[in-house]
Amino acid sequence: DAKTTQPPSMDCAEGRAANLPCNHSTISGNEYVYWYRQIHSQGPQYIIHGLKNNETNEMASLIITEDRKSSTLILPHATLRDTAVYYCIVRSENSGGSNYKLTFGKGTLLTVNP
Amino acid sequence: DAGVIQSPRHEVTEMGQEVTLRCKPISGHDYLFWYRQTMMRGLELLIYFNNNVPIDDSGMPEDRFSAKMPNASFSTLKIQPSEPRDSAVYFCASSLGLRITEAFFGQGTRLTVV
Protein backbone atom coordinates (compact mmCIF):
# COMPACT_ATOMS: atom_id res chain seq x y z
CA ASP A 1 0.00 0.00 0.00
CA ALA A 2 1.31 3.43 -0.96
CA LYS A 3 1.73 5.58 2.12
CA THR A 4 3.05 8.61 0.25
CA THR A 5 2.02 10.48 -2.88
CA GLN A 6 4.47 12.43 -5.00
CA PRO A 7 4.26 14.05 -8.42
CA PRO A 8 5.93 11.85 -11.02
CA SER A 9 8.17 14.59 -12.37
CA MET A 10 9.28 18.19 -11.85
CA ASP A 11 11.62 20.62 -13.53
CA CYS A 12 13.81 23.24 -11.95
CA ALA A 13 16.24 25.82 -13.30
CA GLU A 14 19.85 25.55 -12.22
CA GLY A 15 20.60 27.82 -9.27
CA ARG A 16 16.98 28.09 -8.24
CA ALA A 17 15.32 26.39 -5.29
CA ALA A 18 13.68 23.04 -5.96
CA ASN A 19 10.62 22.33 -3.84
CA LEU A 20 9.47 18.73 -3.90
CA PRO A 21 6.10 17.99 -2.30
CA CYS A 22 4.94 14.81 -0.64
CA ASN A 23 1.56 13.86 0.78
CA HIS A 24 1.39 11.35 3.64
CA SER A 25 -2.10 11.86 5.00
CA THR A 26 -2.22 8.52 6.84
CA ILE A 27 1.04 9.00 8.73
CA SER A 28 0.90 7.83 12.32
CA GLY A 29 2.36 9.46 15.40
CA ASN A 30 5.54 7.40 15.56
CA GLU A 31 6.39 7.54 11.87
CA TYR A 32 9.18 9.69 10.52
CA VAL A 33 9.37 11.24 7.07
CA TYR A 34 12.49 10.27 5.16
CA TRP A 35 13.82 11.55 1.87
CA TYR A 36 16.20 9.66 -0.39
CA ARG A 37 17.34 10.29 -3.91
CA GLN A 38 18.69 8.09 -6.65
CA ILE A 39 20.94 9.42 -9.32
CA HIS A 40 20.92 7.40 -12.51
CA SER A 41 22.79 4.08 -12.21
CA GLN A 42 23.59 4.59 -8.54
CA GLY A 43 22.14 3.31 -5.31
CA PRO A 44 19.68 5.43 -3.33
CA GLN A 45 21.24 8.11 -1.15
CA TYR A 46 19.88 9.38 2.15
CA ILE A 47 19.07 13.10 2.22
CA ILE A 48 17.22 14.02 5.39
CA HIS A 49 14.51 12.92 7.79
CA GLY A 50 12.20 14.44 10.40
CA LEU A 51 9.31 13.78 12.75
CA LYS A 52 7.55 17.04 13.52
CA ASN A 53 9.96 19.92 13.34
CA ASN A 54 11.53 21.35 10.24
CA GLU A 55 15.01 20.05 9.60
CA THR A 56 18.02 21.35 7.70
CA ASN A 57 21.34 19.82 6.79
CA GLU A 58 24.07 20.47 4.27
CA MET A 59 22.03 18.92 1.48
CA ALA A 60 18.49 20.13 1.97
CA SER A 61 15.70 21.41 4.19
CA LEU A 62 12.60 19.49 5.18
CA ILE A 63 9.40 21.35 5.95
CA ILE A 64 6.66 19.29 7.63
CA THR A 65 3.18 20.73 8.02
CA GLU A 66 1.74 21.09 11.50
CA ASP A 67 -0.75 18.27 10.93
CA ARG A 68 2.10 16.15 9.49
CA LYS A 69 0.01 15.15 6.51
CA SER A 70 2.43 16.58 4.01
CA SER A 71 6.00 17.75 3.66
CA THR A 72 8.28 19.55 1.25
CA LEU A 73 11.91 18.86 0.48
CA ILE A 74 13.79 21.98 -0.48
CA LEU A 75 17.06 22.01 -2.39
CA PRO A 76 18.00 25.67 -1.96
CA HIS A 77 20.26 26.06 -5.00
CA ALA A 78 19.73 23.20 -7.39
CA THR A 79 22.62 22.10 -9.60
CA LEU A 80 22.70 19.82 -12.62
CA ARG A 81 24.04 17.05 -10.36
CA ASP A 82 20.81 17.17 -8.36
CA THR A 83 18.93 15.63 -11.28
CA ALA A 84 17.63 12.39 -9.77
CA VAL A 85 14.55 10.53 -8.59
CA TYR A 86 13.55 11.73 -5.12
CA TYR A 87 11.72 9.37 -2.80
CA CYS A 88 9.58 10.40 0.16
CA ILE A 89 9.14 7.57 2.68
CA VAL A 90 7.37 7.23 6.00
CA ARG A 91 8.78 4.77 8.49
CA SER A 92 8.21 3.77 12.09
CA GLU A 93 10.88 4.59 14.62
CA ASN A 94 10.63 1.05 16.01
CA SER A 95 13.91 -0.64 15.24
CA GLY A 96 12.71 -4.17 15.57
CA GLY A 97 10.15 -6.33 13.87
CA SER A 98 8.45 -5.81 10.58
CA ASN A 99 7.95 -2.09 11.13
CA TYR A 100 11.57 -1.48 10.31
CA LYS A 101 11.27 -1.19 6.57
CA LEU A 102 12.27 1.34 3.97
CA THR A 103 9.63 0.93 1.29
CA PHE A 104 10.16 3.01 -1.80
CA GLY A 105 7.35 4.25 -4.05
CA LYS A 106 7.72 5.69 -7.54
CA GLY A 107 9.27 8.97 -6.42
CA THR A 108 9.60 12.26 -8.29
CA LEU A 109 12.02 12.63 -11.17
CA LEU A 110 13.57 16.06 -10.69
CA THR A 111 15.28 17.44 -13.77
CA VAL A 112 17.50 20.43 -13.22
CA ASN A 113 17.88 22.40 -16.43
CA PRO A 114 20.78 24.69 -17.31
CA ASP B 1 34.81 3.05 5.80
CA ALA B 2 34.42 2.13 2.13
CA GLY B 3 30.67 1.93 2.39
CA VAL B 4 28.49 -0.99 1.40
CA ILE B 5 30.33 -3.12 -1.13
CA GLN B 6 28.53 -5.30 -3.63
CA SER B 7 29.92 -7.75 -6.11
CA PRO B 8 29.84 -8.30 -8.95
CA ARG B 9 28.77 -4.95 -10.41
CA HIS B 10 27.45 -6.62 -13.54
CA GLU B 11 26.42 -10.22 -14.14
CA VAL B 12 25.19 -11.79 -17.34
CA THR B 13 24.05 -15.38 -17.13
CA GLU B 14 22.01 -17.87 -19.05
CA MET B 15 18.56 -18.93 -18.00
CA GLY B 16 18.68 -21.87 -15.62
CA GLN B 17 22.06 -21.03 -14.16
CA GLU B 18 22.68 -20.28 -10.51
CA VAL B 19 23.54 -16.70 -9.65
CA THR B 20 25.08 -15.49 -6.40
CA LEU B 21 25.19 -11.84 -5.45
CA ARG B 22 27.40 -10.69 -2.62
CA CYS B 23 27.31 -7.87 -0.12
CA LYS B 24 29.63 -6.52 2.54
CA PRO B 25 27.81 -4.12 4.86
CA ILE B 26 29.35 -1.19 6.67
CA SER B 27 31.26 -2.39 9.71
CA GLY B 28 29.20 -2.11 12.88
CA HIS B 29 25.84 -1.94 11.14
CA ASP B 30 23.35 -4.47 12.47
CA TYR B 31 20.71 -4.33 9.74
CA LEU B 32 21.14 -5.52 6.17
CA PHE B 33 18.60 -5.16 3.39
CA TRP B 34 18.33 -6.64 -0.10
CA TYR B 35 16.34 -4.70 -2.70
CA ARG B 36 15.51 -5.30 -6.34
CA GLN B 37 14.85 -2.52 -8.82
CA THR B 38 13.14 -2.78 -12.20
CA MET B 39 11.51 -0.23 -14.45
CA MET B 40 8.14 -1.87 -14.04
CA ARG B 41 8.07 -2.38 -10.28
CA GLY B 42 10.45 0.23 -8.95
CA LEU B 43 12.51 -0.51 -5.84
CA GLU B 44 11.25 -3.53 -3.90
CA LEU B 45 12.42 -4.80 -0.53
CA LEU B 46 13.20 -8.52 -0.79
CA ILE B 47 14.48 -9.43 2.67
CA TYR B 48 16.22 -7.91 5.62
CA PHE B 49 18.39 -9.18 8.46
CA ASN B 50 18.98 -7.99 11.99
CA ASN B 51 22.15 -9.23 13.65
CA ASN B 52 22.53 -11.82 10.89
CA VAL B 53 19.04 -13.23 11.47
CA PRO B 54 16.42 -12.94 8.70
CA ILE B 55 13.52 -10.87 10.02
CA ASP B 56 11.22 -10.46 7.07
CA ASP B 57 11.50 -12.32 3.78
CA SER B 58 7.98 -11.63 2.59
CA GLY B 59 9.34 -9.76 -0.40
CA MET B 60 11.29 -12.71 -1.77
CA PRO B 61 9.57 -13.55 -5.06
CA GLU B 62 9.63 -17.33 -4.82
CA ASP B 63 11.59 -20.33 -3.68
CA ARG B 64 14.19 -19.80 -6.38
CA PHE B 65 15.47 -16.90 -4.27
CA SER B 66 17.40 -17.42 -1.06
CA ALA B 67 19.50 -15.13 1.12
CA LYS B 68 21.99 -15.85 3.85
CA MET B 69 24.05 -13.85 6.29
CA PRO B 70 26.65 -16.20 7.80
CA ASN B 71 28.34 -13.38 9.71
CA ALA B 72 28.09 -9.66 10.35
CA SER B 73 30.31 -8.76 7.43
CA PHE B 74 28.89 -10.81 4.59
CA SER B 75 25.60 -11.65 2.94
CA THR B 76 24.59 -13.46 -0.24
CA LEU B 77 21.50 -13.46 -2.39
CA LYS B 78 21.19 -16.56 -4.54
CA ILE B 79 18.89 -17.27 -7.46
CA GLN B 80 18.62 -20.87 -8.57
CA PRO B 81 17.58 -21.43 -11.30
CA SER B 82 17.65 -17.96 -12.80
CA GLU B 83 15.02 -16.76 -15.26
CA PRO B 84 14.94 -13.78 -17.66
CA ARG B 85 12.34 -12.04 -15.48
CA ASP B 86 14.92 -11.90 -12.70
CA SER B 87 16.87 -9.34 -14.71
CA ALA B 88 17.11 -6.25 -12.52
CA VAL B 89 19.47 -4.18 -10.43
CA TYR B 90 19.91 -5.69 -6.98
CA PHE B 91 20.88 -3.38 -4.14
CA CYS B 92 22.21 -4.19 -0.73
CA ALA B 93 21.93 -1.67 2.10
CA SER B 94 22.96 -1.58 5.74
CA SER B 95 22.07 0.56 8.71
CA LEU B 96 22.66 1.00 12.41
CA GLY B 97 19.25 0.31 13.78
CA LEU B 98 19.26 1.20 17.45
CA ARG B 99 17.46 4.40 16.61
CA ILE B 100 16.11 5.92 13.47
CA THR B 101 18.99 6.24 11.11
CA GLU B 102 19.66 6.30 7.43
CA ALA B 103 20.35 3.19 5.41
CA PHE B 104 23.46 3.24 3.24
CA PHE B 105 23.18 1.57 -0.13
CA GLY B 106 25.75 -0.17 -2.24
CA GLN B 107 26.24 0.57 -5.92
CA GLY B 108 24.11 -2.39 -6.95
CA THR B 109 24.55 -5.46 -9.12
CA ARG B 110 23.01 -5.30 -12.58
CA LEU B 111 21.83 -8.81 -13.38
CA THR B 112 20.91 -9.83 -16.91
CA VAL B 113 19.51 -13.29 -17.49
CA VAL B 114 19.40 -14.27 -21.17
Side-chain angles (χ1 to χ4, degrees):
Chain A
D1 292 340
K3 300 190 71 172
T4 63
T5 304
Q6 299 177 253
S9 63
M10 293 182 65
D11 286 325
C12 177
E14 187 178 18
R16 303 297 292 271
N19 298 281
L20 293 96
C22 180
N23 288 322
H24 31 79
S25 58
T26 61
I27 193 170
S28 59
N30 67 346
E31 287 183 319
Y32 285 68
V33 179
Y34 276 67
W35 283 84
Y36 281 74
R37 74 179 182 184
Q38 188 173 20
I39 296 170
H40 182 61
S41 298
Q42 296 184 22
Q45 177 190 22
Y46 165 81
I47 301 173
I48 197 167
H49 72 280
L51 183 64
K52 295 181 182 178
N53 300 320
N54 299 336
E55 302 287 344
T56 296
N57 64 20
E58 65 278 4
M59 289 184 67
S61 295
L62 174 60
I63 308 298
I64 302 174
T65 58
E66 192 168 341
D67 63 6
R68 303 213 317 126
K69 292 185 177 181
S70 66
S71 60
T72 301
L73 177 75
I74 301 172
L75 307 179
H77 305 287
T79 70
L80 299 179
R81 288 177 294 181
D82 292 322
T83 292
V85 178
Y86 287 77
Y87 297 98
C88 170
I89 302 157
V90 295
R91 187 174 76 168
S92 170
E93 70 172 346
N94 295 328
S95 62
S98 61
N99 285 331
Y100 196 87
K101 285 188 177 182
L102 204 59
T103 305
F104 288 74
K106 298 288 187 181
T108 296
L109 172 59
L110 173 69
T111 303
V112 181
N113 301 304
Chain B
D1 199 309
V4 176
I5 299 172
Q6 292 185 246
S7 64
R9 290 295 310 277
H10 301 274
E11 176 81 33
V12 180
T13 191
E14 291 185 346
M15 182 174 63
Q17 297 297 307
E18 178 180 294
V19 177
T20 300
L21 311 180
R22 297 172 175 79
C23 175
K24 182 181 187 313
I26 292 174
S27 177
H29 282 188
D30 56 349
Y31 280 82
L32 184 139
F33 305 82
W34 282 101
Y35 287 85
R36 177 174 69 176
Q37 186 174 38
T38 62
M39 288 292 292
M40 289 292 292
R41 302 175 68 93
L43 197 64
E44 303 173 279
L45 175 65
L46 300 178
I47 184 172
Y48 74 95
F49 296 82
N50 178 213
N51 291 323
N52 313 338
V53 176
I55 302 300
D56 186 346
D57 64 354
S58 60
M60 295 286 263
E62 49 197 272
D63 292 345
R64 297 184 298 106
F65 285 69
S66 63
K68 294 182 180 179
M69 193 165 185
N71 56 62
S73 59
F74 183 66
S75 177
T76 60
L77 178 68
K78 185 177 295 185
I79 308 172
Q80 167 63 23
S82 58
E83 297 181 3
R85 60 193 170 119
D86 301 330
S87 297
V89 181
Y90 291 81
F91 288 103
C92 175
S94 71
S95 69
L96 186 60
L98 289 175
R99 291 185 59 82
I100 284 290
T101 184
E102 60 270 22
F104 292 88
F105 282 76
Q107 291 290 85
T109 295
R110 180 173 296 277
L111 173 65
T112 303
V113 183
V114 297

